[in-house]
Every structure is written in C-alpha cells, then in structure tokens.
Amino acid sequence: MKRSRYTEEQIIGILTEHEAGAKCADLCRKHGMSEGTFYAWKAKFGGMTVSDAKRLKTLEDENAKLKKLLAEQMLDAAAMKELLGKKMVRPVVKREAVAHLRTRLGLSERRACRIVGADRKMIRYQSSRPPETELRQRLRDLANERRRFGYRRLFVLLRREGEASGINRIYRLYREEGLAVRKRRARRKAIGTRAPILVEARPNARWSLDFVHDQLACGRRFRILNVVDDVTRECLAAIPDTSISGQRVVRELSGLIERRGKPDMIVSDNGTELTSNAILTFAATKGIEWHYIAPGKPMQNGFVESFNGRMRDELLNETMFRNMPHARAVVRAWAVDYNEERPHSALGYETPKAFAEHLSTATGISAARIECSAPLPVAHIAPIGVSTQRAPVPHG
C-alpha cells in the first residue's frame, strides 16, 4: 500500500480549515491534492481530533497484525492436516514432509522445518553412500528367484556367496528396492496352558504326516502326502497324486523306512486314509507309536502344518502345474531345494540337511540308519496337545 504524504495531524488540520469556512477547491490548490482525496479524508476523519486519529491508526495496525497471525495459524493448521497420519521419526520421512509442504503450500524452508520439527541442516543433508549397484542387482535377482523369501533368508543366501555386508545394510537395500513380501493374515492363536511331550534330539525320533491339496491347469485336483522329520525339519517325502489311499501311504512309509530307518513315533490327523485298517496293521506290525491329534486341532500337528504353509506359499501359489508328471518333477525339485539349499529360521538359518548331519555327528548316529538305545539330549517339544496313547488295534 502506498504511503500517504500527509500525516493524520495534517489531514485533520486541513479538514478543520474547511470547517472554518475555506472552500474545497482552494484547499486542494493550496495543499496539492485532488477533490476525491479531500472527500475521502472527510469521510474517514470528519469530526475527529488528532488523538482520535492516532487511536484509530493504532487500532488499524493491531488489526493488521492480528489478521497476519490468524492467517499464519490457519496456514500452519492446513500444513498439519497435510501431514496428518504420518510418523515424523526418520530423517527421510521428515525430508519428504518438508519438500511436500514447500511444493504444495509454498512455505519457506524455515517455516516448513519448524512445523515438522526438523533441523535445517538435516533437511539439506546429501547422502554420501556408494550406489552399491552390483549388490542391489544381485539382491533383486535373488528376490526374483525366491519371491516369497524375506530379507533374512536373502541375507543368508548372500553370505553363502561371500557377501560381507551386514544384515542392516541388506535390510536397507531390501526396503529401498521395494522387495518387501506381502504378509498374509495370521490365524488366531489359542490361549491356554498345555503339557507337551518331549522328544529326543535325534533324527527319526518323530515323523509327522499330512496332506496338502492343489489342482492342475485343467482343473483336476490332486493331493500331496508330506512326511516331515520333526527334529531335523527335513522333508522326508512329498508325494503328489490324484488319489492316495491308506495302502498307498503304507507302501510309501515302508519304502521310506527301508531307506532311512524306523521312527519312534508318527503324528497325524484323523483322516480316513490315516485311520484305515492298513495303517493300524502297519503301525502294530512295525511297532511304531502312531499318535492322532484331537479332531479339529491342526495346531497339534504344527511341524508338518508349518511345512505345508511354506509349500503353499513358496511353491503351490507360485506355480501352474500342467499335468501330473510336471507336478511330480516340480515338487521333487522343490523338496530337494528345501532340504539342501533353503535356510530354515528354526534351525539358526541352517539347511535341514546340514542340521541333520551336525546332529548326527554330535550324537554319534548315522544319518542313514539310526539304531541307538542310549539316552540322548532333549529336542524341540512336541506339538502341543498331542495324545500320548498308542494307535488302536485294527479290527478283524
């Protein structure tokens, strides 16, 4: 706003001359102003004294300051609404917030930093880290090969290749490259106290059996019989077929026992194939304790259920099976990779095969055939709620 050449005292003096009888035209010529200006002064300051004019000027200045403060408060409130719901903790987030306020609302850097609560030196900081192009590319390649692996397993795979970077750097690059795996919703966990049974820390102490289902590209459904060693976490068998009866389960277990040795205990659910006379006769003949979990309680068979979840997540959901030969080949290759290459978090990110070899060496037991009666260390506890009763005797 253009500053007036006349003070309030001068303006009121001119208006006093007019009230004393001086003509408007003469006053305009005398003081060098237009008639429009004179009448504007008269409308604003007519009948006022010098003290009244000063008081009016003070009120106008205070009103202008209050309007400015109100505008700043409203602008700050609008800026806070723009940032609503964002956690201003990490420096990167604060830099993005300051840039957003400067671009969207036109705020200065100083004011945006004050609203966000950031130091201007931190906002202007430029990272001096190397680009790490080769490591990023190798991390992307591994993540594409193992699409359901998180950063911990990818870190283990990189360490096997000789990468010296720590897990924090791998996690940072993993997040910057946008490789985070979408987590599926976990089921509710039951609450309560249970008395699990203990198992000796040696291979073949206990096996777990269960079926997992999928379908071919043509829509035909098939199932996979999974057998897992609960101590070493090895996948002992993964047998896909369109139909697996109790007699087929007996044949597969018999062949597995010939190759690996007899287990002390087998845990399964109450499916018709696993409660058939063929299974009951097999358990009684071989002298194997066959334990059935409580109906509707899959968490009591947690080891093989966990294995089924990994198979579902990393193999079945990622593969379109053309036909049964293709399914058998893919499942067989995945089981070998699971035992020999895939790091297992419950085993300290060792592979099940390497863990079984270390365990056999520590206990003095052959991995191919286990026959020992001496007491051994206690391994992981059995699935909670597993019955300790033997399998019923077959009828007939």
Side-chain angles (χ1 to χ4, degrees), residues 32 38 47 67 81 100 103 120 132 134 166 186 194 196-197 200 217 228 283 288 299 318 343 349 357:
F38 174 80
K67 286 183 177 180
K81 287 182 179 179
H100 176 75
T103 304
R120 296 174 69 189
E132 299 172 326
E134 296 182 0
R194 298 178 178 86
I197 59 177
E200 295 177 356
V228 176
I288 299 175
M299 69 286 295
E318 302 290 326
Y349 290 98
E357 292 174 354

Side-chain angles (χ1 to χ4, degrees), residues 83-308:
L83 304 177
L84 193 63
K86 296 182 179 179
K87 292 184 178 180
M88 301 298 164
V89 180
R90 299 172 57 239
V92 176
V93 180
K94 291 186 176 181
R95 292 191 193 100
E96 293 175 354
V98 170
H100 176 75
L101 293 181
R102 296 186 65 185
T103 304
R104 184 72 179 271
L105 301 180
L107 300 181
S108 64
E109 182 186 83
R110 186 188 302 274
R111 188 169 185 179
C113 289
R114 179 175 59 81
I115 294 173
V116 174
D119 194 303
R120 296 174 69 189
K121 292 182 180 179
M122 183 263 289
I123 297 300
R124 296 176 180 178
Y125 172 77
Q126 298 292 331
S127 176
S128 57
R129 288 172 175 163
E132 299 172 326
T133 307
E134 296 182 0
L135 180 55
R136 289 174 183 268
Q137 183 61 43
R138 183 54 187 157
L139 186 61
R140 285 196 300 269
D141 293 341
L142 284 176
N144 290 330
E145 294 173 8
R146 312 273 188 164
R147 292 189 291 180
R148 298 301 302 175
F149 275 21
Y151 74 95
R152 291 185 179 88
R153 286 193 173 88
L154 295 178
F155 166 73
V156 173
L157 297 180
L158 288 172
R159 272 296 172 89
R160 290 179 185 173
E161 297 177 359
E163 176 58 46
S165 300
I167 192 169
N168 291 335
R169 176 182 293 177
I170 299 302
Y171 176 68
R172 175 175 59 81
L173 299 180
Y174 179 82
R175 293 298 298 269
E176 291 177 359
E177 294 297 320
L179 303 176
V181 179
R182 181 179 64 86
K183 294 183 179 179
R184 295 181 171 89
R185 289 185 61 183
R187 295 181 178 179
R188 271 183 164 180
K189 294 184 178 180
I191 314 172
T193 58
R194 298 178 178 86
I197 59 177
L198 301 178
V199 178
E200 295 177 356
R202 59 181 177 83
N204 287 1
R206 185 181 63 234
W207 294 356
S208 295
L209 276 71
D210 198 13
F211 292 96
V212 63
H213 299 259
D214 202 16
Q215 64 180 8
L216 303 174
C218 63
R220 187 179 184 184
R221 300 190 63 82
F222 68 94
R223 58 200 321 209
I224 304 174
L225 172 64
N226 288 328
V227 184
V228 176
D229 189 312
D230 293 352
V231 176
T232 65
R233 310 300 175 90
E234 292 175 281
C235 173
L236 306 182
I239 304 156
D241 210 335
T242 54
S243 176
I244 301 178
S245 63
Q247 294 180 352
R248 173 70 180 280
V249 174
V250 169
R251 290 200 305 271
E252 298 294 344
L253 289 178
S254 299
L256 187 59
I257 289 174
E258 291 179 1
R259 297 191 303 271
R260 182 182 176 87
K262 185 180 71 172
D264 295 342
M265 181 193 309
I266 295 180
V267 181
S268 72
D269 58 20
N270 296 270
T272 55
E273 302 86 356
L274 303 177
T275 56
S276 63
N277 285 336
I279 292 292
L280 300 179
T281 304
F282 168 79
T285 303
K286 295 290 186 179
I288 299 175
E289 293 188 35
W290 196 295
H291 294 293
Y292 292 103
I293 64 175
K297 300 289 183 181
M299 69 286 295
Q300 296 179 4
N301 200 12
F303 293 105
V304 72
E305 291 289 348
S306 175
F307 176 81
N308 291 346

